Amino acid sequence: MNRGPVIVTCAVTGSGDTASMHPGLPKSPKEIADACIEAGEAGAAIAHLHVREPESGDCSRNLDYYREVVARVRESSSDVILNVTCGMGGDCFYEIAEDPEDGTLTSVGKSTDLVGVDQRLAHIEELKPEICSLDCGSLNFGTGAYVSTLPMLREMAARITAAGVKPELECFEIGHVALATRLHEEGLLDDPPFYQFALGIPWGATADAASVQAMVPLVAPGANWAAFGISRNQMPMVAQSLLLGGHVRVGLEDNLYLEKGVLATNGELVTKALRLMGDLGAAPATTAEARAILGLRGTQ
């Protein structure tokens, strides 16, 4: 069991179609920055963020939004560690038309958002947060697919590391863990690598102890790892990850409810996780302790 210091990450908003489900979901840059600060004040060492269109709440890759969120947090008194996504730009949906004469397939839908490495990393290389997420492989994701190929991941890992940013190696199934470890073996990641097991997302690994137990043996020697579950599995996976030796993540990206029928805030989810950790005899990491554990810049 991991009795501490346990790194608590709060994923404050995500990119899913959840804005219509929760009137308090952070959407504007100010709201997202405030949510990061709120998570830190509640006891999370790390705030993981995406950006959204302020009015609609739709997912976004707008660099100006990222600039504003990061600036607001950095200009505040908060010491929370920022973990900025670079997972946007990999969405692929089967919205195509077939030419009846030659069988050529042409995209006709507007949901697909596939871009290259330069666009996926533009905000990371400019803003240089302490951590950014790196989704370590492709995956059938809901009704579509998330696409991130091995050549792309090699280039992204090298460029993120060169920027002085720690990649959080997001693994949605067991093969992603093996791929992330290969990136480390190839010298593309600094020690110690940091894995995040994202569990319960259709159609990836299930949110249970069996998935974690299959993934942990594949991480690189000396690595840090965390695991989280979505929806009703969020708090059970806090306990499972702790019991199996890992760090934890909560937040509105993964779960909207504090309990059945009661919508949550990010701060409330962090507080609930800390209470559960305390009941299990685990202590949360401070931001200074988290930086030291992960080997973030300035602590190496």
Side-chain angles (χ1 to χ4, degrees):
M1 172 163 167
N2 185 0
R3 297 192 181 277
V6 177
I7 299 170
V8 178
T9 294
C10 183
V12 300
T13 188
S15 61
D17 185 19
T18 51
S20 63
M21 304 176 191
H22 191 321
L25 188 82
K27 298 186 291 293
S28 72
K30 181 182 185 303
E31 290 170 344
I32 295 168
D34 288 346
C36 293
I37 295 166
E38 174 196 1
E41 290 175 344
I46 299 172
H48 172 63
L49 67 101
H50 296 241
V51 295
R52 293 174 178 264
E53 291 299 326
E55 297 300 323
S56 67
D58 292 341
C59 60
S60 176
R61 291 189 285 105
N62 189 312
L63 183 53
D64 286 337
Y65 298 161
Y66 282 112
R67 290 185 181 117
E68 182 177 347
V69 173
V70 171
R72 284 181 177 274
V73 176
R74 286 176 173 170
E75 291 167 4
S76 75
S77 60
S78 176
D79 190 40
V80 70
I81 299 165
L82 290 183
N83 174 350
V84 179
T85 187
C86 64
M88 306 302 293
D91 295 329
C92 181
F93 290 84
Y94 191 73
E95 299 170 326
I96 59 175
E98 182 175 352
D99 189 302
E101 295 185 2
D102 62 12
T104 300
L105 300 178
T106 304
S107 175
V108 296
K110 296 182 179 179
S111 299
T112 293
D113 179 36
L114 283 174
V115 299
V117 171
D118 287 347
Q119 291 183 67
R120 295 193 195 196
L121 291 183
H123 58 307
I124 302 301
E125 293 181 319
E126 176 182 325
L127 300 172
K128 294 181 173 58
E130 293 184 78
I131 304 173
C132 72
S133 63
L134 181 62
D135 297 331
C136 290
S138 301
L139 178 78
N140 282 323
F141 197 101
T143 59
Y146 179 80
V147 179
S148 199
T149 66
L150 180 56
M152 294 177 72
L153 286 168
R154 282 181 169 134
E155 182 178 352
M156 291 174 76
R159 288 171 59 171
I160 291 167
T161 300
V165 179
K166 171 74 68 172
E168 179 201 59
L169 307 167
E170 292 210 354
C171 301
F172 295 82
E173 51 98 345
I174 191 169
H176 293 178
V177 186
L179 192 156
T181 300
R182 174 58 63 88
L183 297 176
H184 178 261
E185 291 170 348
E186 292 176 355
L188 300 173
L189 305 170
D190 288 338
D191 287 324
F194 178 34
Y195 298 72
Q196 180 74 260
F197 305 149
L199 306 176
I201 293 93
W203 302 99
T206 51
D208 50 38
S211 289
V212 178
Q213 289 171 316
M215 290 176 161
V216 169
L218 298 180
V219 306
N224 297 294
W225 64 269
F228 71 88
I230 66 168
S231 190
R232 69 184 67 183
N233 289 312
Q234 183 168 86
M235 293 302 162
M237 283 310 305
V238 168
Q240 290 286 3
S241 187
L242 283 176
L243 291 171
L244 293 170
H247 301 280
V248 304
R249 167 172 143 172
V250 293
L252 293 181
E253 174 172 350
D254 308 320
N255 164 50
L256 300 178
Y257 292 91
L258 188 63
E259 56 188 68
K260 186 174 182 179
V262 180
L263 292 170
T265 67
N266 284 294
E268 289 172 338
L269 291 172
V270 172
T271 298
K272 185 173 182 177
L274 293 181
R275 185 168 61 248
L276 175 57
M277 289 167 53
D279 289 343
L280 293 173
T286 65
T287 52
E289 289 170 331
R291 287 184 173 99
I293 291 167
L294 298 176
L296 301 184
R297 61 173 183 250
T299 64
Q300 300 174 8

